[in-house]
């Protein structure tokens, strides 16, 4: 099949959304945990996590900027400046997917989707206890996108927690061992299987 720009724009809305969201391949499936100043917790699924820098250790994620839709994750990050990234594993896919539902602001996805809040002393954002890899983030920069209704939220890693057995000798993570799940498009979930490790320099 072949699509030019006109063909893509003329596709029925949800066909276009599904095609463009899946064309980049499998992406990390992450739960972002936040808390409001009133101590209300929020949990939302994202697949737009990107590596920014290792020194300092920065990660980013893209967040839609549609003013017609309430964005509890963004509002909580602005209020508290801290948030968490939590890998989704195969045992929590269904519950994780349910966090994409727009619940009332007073309803916590931790409760509704049956997740357990987990905390590190001195860090004000909730981790997901059921996650095998937990990352605590502090807000560093917000980049407004001019070409789309989106923001790039950039944060610095403050905390990382996972089982020692997940670590390779070179200190990379073996995602097959972590049972972390990837997502293609909006609702198609994949297991990670390690294929091969190649030398960094040839």
């Amino acid at each position: 099949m072949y699509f030019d720009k006109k063909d893509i724009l003329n596709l029925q809305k949800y066909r276009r959304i599904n095609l463009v969201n899946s064309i980049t391949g499998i992406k990390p499936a992450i739960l972002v945990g936040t808390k409001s100043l009133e101590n209300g917790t929020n949990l939302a699924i994202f697949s737009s996590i990107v590596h920014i820098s290792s020194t300092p250790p920065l990660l980013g994620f893209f967040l839609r900027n549609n003013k017609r839709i309430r964005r509890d994750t963004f509002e909580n990050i602005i209020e508290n400046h801290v948030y968490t990234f939590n890998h989704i594993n195969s045992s929590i896919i269904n519950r994780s997917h349910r966090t994409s539902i727009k619940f009332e602001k007073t309803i916590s996805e931790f409760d509704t989707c049956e997740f357990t809040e987990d905390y590190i002393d001195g860090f004000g954002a909730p981790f997901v206890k059921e996650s095998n890899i937990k990352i605590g983030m502090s807000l560093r920069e917000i980049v407004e996108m001019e070409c789309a209704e989106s923001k790039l939220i950039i944060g610095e890693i403050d905390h990382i927690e996972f089982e020692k057995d997940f670590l390779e000798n070179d200190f990379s993570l073996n995602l097959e061992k972590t049972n972390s799940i990837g997502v293609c498009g909006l609702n198609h979930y994949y297991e990670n299987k390690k294929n091969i490790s190649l030398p960094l320099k040839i």
Side-chain angles (χ1 to χ4, degrees):
M1 296 184 73
Y2 170 77
F3 297 89
D4 62 19
K5 184 163 65 174
K6 183 178 179 181
D7 295 330
I8 295 168
L9 293 175
N10 284 336
L11 283 171
Q12 185 268 343
K13 177 181 177 181
Y14 290 104
R15 289 187 173 187
R16 182 174 65 253
I17 288 173
N18 288 334
L19 177 62
V20 175
N21 268 280
S22 62
I23 201 69
T24 56
I26 299 170
K27 302 177 287 292
I30 301 288
L31 289 170
V32 178
T34 59
K35 179 180 276 192
S36 70
L37 289 179
E38 292 78 29
N39 288 324
T41 57
N42 180 266
L43 195 61
I45 188 171
F46 283 87
S47 63
S48 58
I49 314 300
V50 292
H51 168 267
I52 303 291
S53 166
S54 296
T55 309
L58 302 176
L59 302 176
F61 74 105
F62 291 93
L63 193 147
R64 292 281 291 166
N65 192 28
N66 190 331
K67 295 180 180 179
R68 298 181 299 274
I69 300 175
R70 197 183 75 247
R71 299 292 179 188
D72 295 334
T73 296
F74 179 67
E75 291 174 8
N76 291 347
I77 290 174
I78 290 297
E79 288 184 0
N80 273 334
H81 283 227
V82 289
Y83 52 100
T84 67
F85 289 153
N86 306 270
H87 280 222
I88 295 170
N89 56 64
S90 59
S91 66
I92 59 173
I93 294 175
N94 290 338
R95 285 182 282 164
S96 299
H97 187 73
R98 286 187 62 216
T99 66
S100 62
I101 298 171
K102 280 294 176 188
F103 297 105
E104 293 295 326
K105 186 175 180 63
T106 55
I107 296 175
S108 172
E109 288 81 3
F110 277 94
D111 296 332
T112 305
C113 301
E114 300 179 331
F115 287 107
T116 308
E117 295 177 30
D118 199 14
Y119 290 91
I120 290 176
D121 288 344
F123 189 77
F127 295 87
V128 176
K129 188 171 185 178
E130 293 79 4
S131 175
N132 290 332
I133 300 179
K134 307 174 182 69
I135 310 166
M137 305 292 300
S138 291
L139 178 64
R140 287 296 173 264
E141 185 177 348
I142 299 173
V143 180
E144 297 279 353
M145 307 296 292
E146 294 184 3
C147 58
E149 290 185 331
S150 296
K151 302 175 189 291
L152 173 60
I153 313 299
I154 300 174
E156 184 168 357
I157 300 175
D158 288 338
H159 306 279
I160 300 175
E161 184 179 356
F162 55 82
E163 294 292 333
K164 184 178 180 180
D165 290 346
F166 298 161
L167 206 59
E168 301 276 31
N169 290 333
D170 65 355
F171 258 63
S172 61
L173 285 170
N174 185 317
L175 296 183
E176 185 174 358
K177 287 183 178 180
T178 69
N179 199 22
S180 296
I181 293 295
V183 62
C184 185
L186 299 175
N187 60 335
H188 304 288
Y189 295 90
Y190 291 79
E191 293 182 356
N192 287 298
K193 181 175 175 59
K194 185 174 180 180
N195 191 315
I196 190 174
S197 295
L198 297 174
L200 293 175
K201 294 182 180 180
I202 298 175

